[in-house]
Amino acid sequence: MGLVGAGFVGPHHIDAVRRLGFVDIVAVAGSSEASGTQKAHALGARKGYGSYQALIDDPDVHVVHNATPNHLHYEVTSAALRKGKHVVSDKPLAMTASESKKLVDEAKRAGVVTAVTFNYRGNPLVQHARQAIARGEIGTPRFVHGHYLQDWLLHETDYSWRLDPAKGGASSALGDIGSHWCDLAQHLTGLTITQVLGDVTTSIPKRKKPRGSREAFAPPSPEGFGGPGATATDAVDVVDITVEDLASVLVRFDNGAKGMFSVGQVCAGHKNDLVLEICGTTSSVRWRQEHQNELWWGHRERANEVLQKDPSLINEHGRPYAHLPGGHQEAWADAFCNLMRDIYRSIADGPPYRTLPPAVATFEDGYRANRIVEAILDSARQGGVWTQVS
Ligand SMILES: NC(=O)c1ccc[n+]([C@@H]2O[C@H](COP(=O)([O-])OP(=O)(O)OC[C@H]3O[C@@H](n4cnc5c(N)ncnc54)[C@H](O)[C@@H]3O)[C@@H](O)[C@H]2O)c1
């Protein structure tokens, strides 16, 4: 594998692939020769490159992982496909739906293995719930609701490239984390979001942007300031923010089910608080990312239940994604590794590449995620009207 972009999430791609045990971690490309070399050394890759083109040109690199900021997703992925490389793209697949559509077509032409890391799908209890819902264990889904809330942009001194439309795209909270919620809602229910109504807010319209560059989720300075932004001593520019950091959305699904979710990056105390509940015609089921080893089942005629992750208690769809006995917690990085296992098994088997299991999001799924976010922004722009997902 070769990794382009080794900031916050890139190293987790390497960790996950390294755990498979049969993949050579060949190279890392950074934004400069110096950072490529330094990051390759730190992450135990054999080579460091100062440009993604050099990494893609390396004949030893068969699989390119794209973990760059959003504005580079299209060009890096497209260049890799042109060279016939397999691509694992972090989400969003591209910055706009039209770029994503091009990548869907380019990937088809390239005939390689491609995937987008909507990684919450890789959790064993998510796979268990998906199968249980498909078997009718909650009846027919009728109401899907939840939220994805974080607090890392709470202060006006918090800043990230995600807030700059030229680098992050037209959306911040919806594109970054709302896309995960929508993907998971559709994956769990097997339904498609067809219409949306969005109320979108920029709650901090001016922020202090540090003049130096900082990676997402960088640890706070020794003074305790900052996290992803300016420290007390940083030189800053005050910049206008146009993208949303908060949104509430009503959704309709193709079977007539209704839904609603909120996203926010300015909600104190919420770290990575993704919650999704599906109320069916007979029972309900809820999964919480921050308590991901538990699945709540709600009933009317009998007591509610909590299923703890345990390979001996979960169904045959969840079991391959669980690697530890009951009571041993599995988490974010394990779910990420599960996706890599599915993707690299297919690559290792060679052509003709078999269809990846449903736990792995495809480029089509990535394209759909862009279209949902764009429809929500359109809806909000029109003052909050029901808008078809194209
Ligand atoms: N799946 C998930 O749960 C998840 C989590 C976090 C981030 N992401 C996605 O991953 C991507 C990266 O996010 P992040 O939080 O790691 O950001 P980040 O800012 O921490 O890291 C981005 C890295 O890319 C590097 N980079 C910039 N330009 C480059 C270039 N031309 N060539 C090579 N490297 C370059 C930067 O120096 C930095 O190291 C985003 O698209 C984001 O949406 C996904």
Side-chain angles (χ1 to χ4, degrees), residues 55-378:
L55 179 138
I56 289 168
D57 285 341
D58 184 332
D60 289 345
V61 173
H62 299 173
V63 190
V64 174
H65 287 239
N66 186 355
T68 55
N70 301 354
H71 68 113
L72 293 168
H73 283 199
Y74 174 77
E75 67 178 73
V76 172
T77 296
S78 180
L81 292 172
R82 276 198 303 280
K83 275 273 172 179
K85 309 278 165 138
H86 309 288
V87 178
V88 179
S89 169
D90 219 307
K91 41 61 55 176
L93 175 57
M95 212 156 70
T96 63
S98 67
E99 280 182 354
S100 280
K101 172 74 176 85
K102 284 199 252 172
L103 289 178
V104 167
D105 296 338
E106 291 171 27
K108 269 190 203 131
R109 281 198 294 277
V112 291
V113 176
T114 51
V116 183
T117 47
F118 280 117
N119 41 291
Y120 298 113
R121 293 185 182 201
N123 186 282
L125 287 182
V126 166
Q127 288 307 310
H128 172 90
R130 180 175 185 273
Q131 177 62 6
I133 292 166
R135 282 184 187 153
E137 291 182 23
I138 62 164
T140 305
R142 144 192 293 168
F143 183 50
V144 184
H145 65 103
H147 60 245
Y148 197 160
L149 305 178
Q150 301 181 329
D151 68 2
W152 67 289
L153 291 177
L154 181 68
H155 302 302
E156 64 172 8
T157 45
D158 295 327
Y159 189 81
S160 160
W161 56 258
R162 285 167 168 81
L163 296 165
D164 175 356
K167 293 193 171 145
S171 162
S172 179
L174 285 164
D176 202 35
I177 51 180
S179 58
H180 271 299
W181 193 94
C182 293
D183 179 77
L184 198 59
Q186 296 179 117
H187 182 65
L188 278 166
T189 58
L191 301 174
T192 300
I193 294 173
T194 52
Q195 287 183 304
V196 292
L197 188 155
D199 178 29
V200 160
T201 307
T202 306
S203 45
I204 303 184
K206 285 190 190 292
R207 286 181 182 264
K208 292 179 178 166
K209 177 185 175 189
R211 294 212 176 126
S213 80
R214 298 202 71 192
E215 275 162 4
F217 313 113
S221 67
E223 312 88 63
F225 289 99
T231 67
T233 52
D234 275 342
V236 296
D237 293 314
V238 174
V239 292
D240 291 325
I241 303 296
T242 55
V243 292
E244 84 292 346
D245 49 30
L246 194 64
S248 295
V249 185
L250 297 179
V251 297
R252 289 176 179 158
F253 292 86
D254 55 346
N255 75 334
K258 303 293 173 77
M260 56 178 265
F261 70 94
S262 298
V263 291
Q265 297 158 319
V266 288
C267 301
H270 296 268
K271 304 304 172 186
N272 197 37
D273 189 10
L274 163 58
V275 177
L276 209 149
E277 179 174 317
I278 302 148
C279 302
T281 46
T282 58
S283 293
S284 304
V285 60
R286 178 170 65 228
W287 185 72
R288 297 182 298 167
Q289 195 287 139
E290 291 188 351
H291 301 269
Q292 60 186 275
N293 286 260
E294 291 176 2
L295 203 55
W296 176 85
W297 296 89
H299 307 292
R300 177 163 142 167
E301 282 86 14
R302 57 193 168 96
N304 296 341
E305 302 162 279
V306 174
L307 171 67
Q308 282 188 285
K309 184 231 51 169
D310 180 335
S312 69
L313 297 177
I314 64 180
N315 63 33
E316 69 277 15
H317 285 256
R319 213 171 295 133
Y321 295 91
H323 304 285
L324 294 168
H328 297 68
Q329 307 300 301
E330 293 180 58
W332 192 96
D334 302 292
F336 208 88
C337 184
N338 280 331
L339 300 187
M340 297 307 149
R341 192 172 291 108
D342 282 344
I343 295 164
Y344 276 83
R345 263 192 203 134
S346 169
I347 294 170
D349 285 350
Y353 300 107
R354 62 189 149 93
T355 310
L356 291 166
V360 183
T362 62
F363 274 22
E364 285 284 356
D365 296 324
Y367 173 40
R368 172 136 214 102
N370 282 116
R371 282 181 288 153
I372 294 171
V373 170
E374 288 183 4
I376 297 169
L377 294 183
D378 277 353

Side-chain angles (χ1 to χ4, degrees), residues 5-27:
F8 160 62
V9 85
H12 294 287
H13 284 246
I14 289 195
D15 281 349
V17 173
R18 181 171 277 128
R19 281 172 63 187
L20 305 181
F22 61 90
V23 184
D24 186 10
I25 312 298
V26 177

